[in-house]
Short mmCIF file of all heavy atoms in Angstrom, two decimals:
data_model
loop_
_atom_site.label_atom_id
_atom_site.label_comp_id
_atom_site.label_asym_id
_atom_site.label_seq_id
_atom_site.Cartn_x
_atom_site.Cartn_y
_atom_site.Cartn_z
N ARG A 49 188.75 50.74 92.06
CA ARG A 49 187.88 49.85 91.29
C ARG A 49 186.45 49.87 91.82
O ARG A 49 185.49 49.75 91.06
CB ARG A 49 188.44 48.43 91.27
CG ARG A 49 188.51 47.74 92.61
CD ARG A 49 189.10 46.34 92.47
NE ARG A 49 189.47 45.81 93.75
CZ ARG A 49 190.66 45.94 94.32
NH1 ARG A 49 191.61 46.60 93.69
NH2 ARG A 49 190.91 45.42 95.49
N TYR A 50 186.28 50.08 93.14
CA TYR A 50 184.94 50.16 93.70
C TYR A 50 184.28 51.51 93.37
O TYR A 50 183.07 51.58 93.20
CB TYR A 50 184.95 49.90 95.19
CG TYR A 50 185.36 48.50 95.53
CD1 TYR A 50 186.42 48.25 96.40
CD2 TYR A 50 184.72 47.41 94.96
CE1 TYR A 50 186.81 46.97 96.70
CE2 TYR A 50 185.10 46.12 95.25
CZ TYR A 50 186.15 45.90 96.12
OH TYR A 50 186.53 44.62 96.40
N LYS A 51 185.10 52.56 93.35
CA LYS A 51 184.56 53.87 92.93
C LYS A 51 184.05 53.77 91.49
O LYS A 51 182.95 54.22 91.17
CB LYS A 51 185.63 54.95 93.00
CG LYS A 51 186.01 55.41 94.37
CD LYS A 51 187.02 56.53 94.24
CE LYS A 51 187.88 56.63 95.45
NZ LYS A 51 188.94 57.64 95.32
N LEU A 52 184.87 53.19 90.64
CA LEU A 52 184.50 53.06 89.23
C LEU A 52 183.28 52.17 89.07
O LEU A 52 182.37 52.48 88.29
CB LEU A 52 185.68 52.50 88.44
CG LEU A 52 185.62 52.61 86.93
CD1 LEU A 52 185.46 54.07 86.51
CD2 LEU A 52 186.87 52.03 86.30
N LEU A 53 183.23 51.07 89.82
CA LEU A 53 182.07 50.19 89.78
C LEU A 53 180.81 50.94 90.22
O LEU A 53 179.75 50.85 89.58
CB LEU A 53 182.28 48.96 90.67
CG LEU A 53 181.10 48.00 90.77
CD1 LEU A 53 180.85 47.34 89.42
CD2 LEU A 53 181.36 46.96 91.85
N GLY A 54 180.91 51.71 91.30
CA GLY A 54 179.78 52.50 91.77
C GLY A 54 179.32 53.51 90.73
O GLY A 54 178.12 53.71 90.52
N GLN A 55 180.27 54.14 90.05
CA GLN A 55 179.91 55.10 89.02
C GLN A 55 179.21 54.42 87.85
O GLN A 55 178.24 54.96 87.31
CB GLN A 55 181.16 55.85 88.54
CG GLN A 55 181.71 56.78 89.59
CD GLN A 55 183.06 57.36 89.21
OE1 GLN A 55 183.69 56.98 88.23
NE2 GLN A 55 183.52 58.30 90.02
N PHE A 56 179.69 53.25 87.45
CA PHE A 56 179.03 52.52 86.38
C PHE A 56 177.62 52.09 86.78
O PHE A 56 176.69 52.16 85.97
CB PHE A 56 179.85 51.29 85.97
CG PHE A 56 180.92 51.59 84.96
CD1 PHE A 56 182.25 51.38 85.28
CD2 PHE A 56 180.61 52.08 83.70
CE1 PHE A 56 183.25 51.65 84.37
CE2 PHE A 56 181.60 52.35 82.78
CZ PHE A 56 182.93 52.14 83.12
N VAL A 57 177.46 51.65 88.02
CA VAL A 57 176.14 51.22 88.49
C VAL A 57 175.17 52.41 88.51
O VAL A 57 174.03 52.31 88.01
CB VAL A 57 176.24 50.55 89.88
CG1 VAL A 57 174.87 50.39 90.52
CG2 VAL A 57 176.93 49.21 89.77
N ILE A 58 175.61 53.53 89.05
CA ILE A 58 174.75 54.72 89.10
C ILE A 58 174.42 55.20 87.70
O ILE A 58 173.25 55.44 87.36
CB ILE A 58 175.43 55.84 89.92
CG1 ILE A 58 175.49 55.45 91.39
CG2 ILE A 58 174.70 57.18 89.74
CD1 ILE A 58 176.39 56.33 92.22
N GLY A 59 175.44 55.33 86.87
CA GLY A 59 175.20 55.78 85.50
C GLY A 59 174.31 54.83 84.72
O GLY A 59 173.40 55.24 84.00
N GLY A 60 174.55 53.52 84.87
CA GLY A 60 173.74 52.52 84.17
C GLY A 60 172.30 52.51 84.65
O GLY A 60 171.37 52.39 83.84
N ALA A 61 172.11 52.66 85.96
CA ALA A 61 170.75 52.66 86.50
C ALA A 61 169.97 53.88 86.00
O ALA A 61 168.81 53.76 85.57
CB ALA A 61 170.79 52.65 88.03
N VAL A 62 170.59 55.05 86.03
CA VAL A 62 169.91 56.26 85.58
C VAL A 62 169.67 56.20 84.07
O VAL A 62 168.59 56.56 83.60
CB VAL A 62 170.71 57.52 85.99
CG1 VAL A 62 170.15 58.76 85.33
CG2 VAL A 62 170.70 57.68 87.50
N LEU A 63 170.65 55.74 83.32
CA LEU A 63 170.49 55.61 81.88
C LEU A 63 169.36 54.64 81.54
O LEU A 63 168.53 54.92 80.67
CB LEU A 63 171.80 55.15 81.23
CG LEU A 63 171.77 54.96 79.72
CD1 LEU A 63 171.55 56.30 79.03
CD2 LEU A 63 173.05 54.32 79.25
N SER A 64 169.29 53.54 82.24
CA SER A 64 168.22 52.57 82.01
C SER A 64 166.87 53.16 82.34
O SER A 64 165.89 52.96 81.60
CB SER A 64 168.44 51.32 82.87
OG SER A 64 169.63 50.68 82.50
N TYR A 65 166.79 53.90 83.43
CA TYR A 65 165.52 54.52 83.81
C TYR A 65 165.07 55.51 82.74
O TYR A 65 163.91 55.51 82.33
CB TYR A 65 165.64 55.22 85.16
CG TYR A 65 164.37 55.93 85.55
CD1 TYR A 65 163.27 55.21 86.00
CD2 TYR A 65 164.26 57.30 85.42
CE1 TYR A 65 162.09 55.86 86.32
CE2 TYR A 65 163.09 57.95 85.74
CZ TYR A 65 162.01 57.23 86.19
OH TYR A 65 160.84 57.87 86.50
N VAL A 66 165.98 56.36 82.30
CA VAL A 66 165.62 57.36 81.28
C VAL A 66 165.23 56.68 79.97
O VAL A 66 164.26 57.06 79.33
CB VAL A 66 166.79 58.34 81.05
CG1 VAL A 66 166.56 59.20 79.81
CG2 VAL A 66 166.97 59.23 82.26
N TYR A 67 165.96 55.64 79.60
CA TYR A 67 165.73 55.00 78.32
C TYR A 67 164.43 54.20 78.30
O TYR A 67 163.70 54.22 77.32
CB TYR A 67 166.91 54.10 77.98
CG TYR A 67 166.88 53.63 76.55
CD1 TYR A 67 167.29 54.46 75.53
CD2 TYR A 67 166.43 52.36 76.22
CE1 TYR A 67 167.25 54.06 74.21
CE2 TYR A 67 166.39 51.94 74.91
CZ TYR A 67 166.80 52.79 73.91
OH TYR A 67 166.76 52.38 72.61
N PHE A 68 164.15 53.49 79.39
CA PHE A 68 163.00 52.60 79.40
C PHE A 68 161.75 53.16 80.04
O PHE A 68 160.70 52.54 80.01
CB PHE A 68 163.36 51.26 80.07
CG PHE A 68 164.36 50.49 79.29
CD1 PHE A 68 165.64 50.28 79.78
CD2 PHE A 68 164.03 49.96 78.05
CE1 PHE A 68 166.56 49.56 79.06
CE2 PHE A 68 164.96 49.24 77.32
CZ PHE A 68 166.23 49.04 77.82
N ASN A 69 161.83 54.34 80.65
CA ASN A 69 160.68 54.93 81.30
C ASN A 69 159.64 55.34 80.26
O ASN A 69 159.94 56.08 79.32
CB ASN A 69 161.10 56.16 82.12
CG ASN A 69 159.95 56.74 82.88
OD1 ASN A 69 158.94 56.09 83.13
ND2 ASN A 69 160.09 58.00 83.26
N GLN A 70 158.42 54.87 80.40
CA GLN A 70 157.36 55.17 79.44
C GLN A 70 156.40 56.24 79.93
O GLN A 70 155.58 56.72 79.17
CB GLN A 70 156.56 53.88 79.16
CG GLN A 70 157.37 52.80 78.50
CD GLN A 70 157.63 53.10 77.04
OE1 GLN A 70 156.83 53.73 76.38
NE2 GLN A 70 158.77 52.66 76.54
N SER A 71 156.47 56.60 81.19
CA SER A 71 155.50 57.56 81.73
C SER A 71 155.91 59.00 81.41
O SER A 71 157.09 59.33 81.35
CB SER A 71 155.38 57.38 83.24
OG SER A 71 156.61 57.66 83.86
N HIS A 72 154.92 59.83 81.21
CA HIS A 72 155.11 61.27 81.00
C HIS A 72 156.03 61.57 79.82
O HIS A 72 156.88 62.45 79.90
CB HIS A 72 155.67 61.95 82.25
CG HIS A 72 154.91 61.65 83.47
ND1 HIS A 72 153.58 61.99 83.62
CD2 HIS A 72 155.25 61.02 84.61
CE1 HIS A 72 153.16 61.60 84.81
NE2 HIS A 72 154.15 61.01 85.42
N VAL A 73 155.87 60.83 78.74
CA VAL A 73 156.71 61.09 77.57
C VAL A 73 155.83 61.38 76.36
O VAL A 73 154.77 60.81 76.21
CB VAL A 73 157.66 59.92 77.27
CG1 VAL A 73 158.67 59.76 78.35
CG2 VAL A 73 156.91 58.63 77.05
N PRO A 74 156.29 62.27 75.49
CA PRO A 74 155.51 62.55 74.28
C PRO A 74 155.56 61.38 73.30
O PRO A 74 156.35 60.44 73.46
CB PRO A 74 156.20 63.79 73.70
CG PRO A 74 157.53 63.85 74.32
CD PRO A 74 157.45 63.12 75.63
#
């Protein structure tokens, strides 16, 4: 359950960064 939680946190953090990042985008 902690492995899965860690994977969700990592995936969610990276997904949020990619989705909401406004710098260097066309």
Side-chain angles (χ1 to χ4, degrees):
R49 64 181 166 269
Y50 295 125
K51 287 183 205 176
L52 195 58
L53 176 67
Q55 291 171 352
F56 275 118
V57 167
I58 291 167
V62 170
L63 180 65
S64 297
Y65 177 75
V66 168
Y67 192 79
F68 294 113
N69 184 21
Q70 296 286 329
S71 63
H72 309 299
V73 293

